[in-house]
Amino acid sequence: MMEILLQRLPHFAGLPLPAYQSAQAAGMDLPAACAADAPLVIEPGEWAAVPTGLAIALPAGYEAQVRPRSGLAAKHGITVLNAPGTIDADYRGEIKVLLINHGQTPFAVERGMRIAQLVIAPVLQAGLKPVETLPESGRGSGGFGSSGI
């Protein structure tokens, strides 16, 4: 298990730490850190940056991905707008989740609600090598749908 340094910001007070919900879960659920007396309402077709009250320090060579929670998407049409959102290893600011409402009714994000998943993943940086032509492949330049799906 990898250790990730986590800073709880003042508006996180009283909320549970992100946690895996099962033994084999890939992501930890992130809670919303909006004010208890002022839920953040996202109208249909609108989006909002939801605070989590958390900041992390990832080791070099890793990223954190912010992914949607399937239950929010299936039940309410709520998902992460830039899924997956990427938190780079050198970012030290607050984690915010860009939620969008694809549903038909306003959605209230309440304090402590589990709004997204945080997945820690290794990063491989690539070196780009310009060439005049690319090697042949079985697929060639066939684009969307060209593989038969």
Side-chain angles (χ1 to χ4, degrees), residues 12-26:
F12 181 82
L15 293 174
L17 289 175
Y20 296 101
Q21 299 299 307
S22 72
Q24 298 299 313

Side-chain angles (χ1 to χ4, degrees), residues 23-84:
Q24 298 299 313
M28 295 177 258
D29 287 345
L30 289 171
C34 44
D37 60 349
L40 179 61
V41 177
I42 306 173
E43 297 292 331
E46 299 293 320
W47 60 88
V50 182
T52 66
L54 299 169
I56 58 176
L58 294 165
Y62 287 86
E63 67 163 329
Q65 298 174 5
V66 179
R67 297 183 184 178
R69 290 194 64 239
S70 59
L72 286 180
K75 295 174 186 173
H76 305 286
I78 302 297
T79 191
V80 176
L81 181 59
N82 61 326

Side-chain angles (χ1 to χ4, degrees), residues 11 17 19 72 83 91 129:
H11 55 287
L17 289 175
L72 286 180
Y91 177 68
K129 179 180 177 181

Side-chain angles (χ1 to χ4, degrees), residues 3-5 27 50 56 66-67 77 101 111 123 129 136 141 144 146:
E3 185 176 86
I4 303 292
L5 301 178
V50 182
I56 58 176
V66 179
R67 297 183 184 178
N101 184 351
R111 183 172 181 79
V123 170
K129 179 180 177 181
E136 295 293 322
S141 61
F144 297 111
S146 66

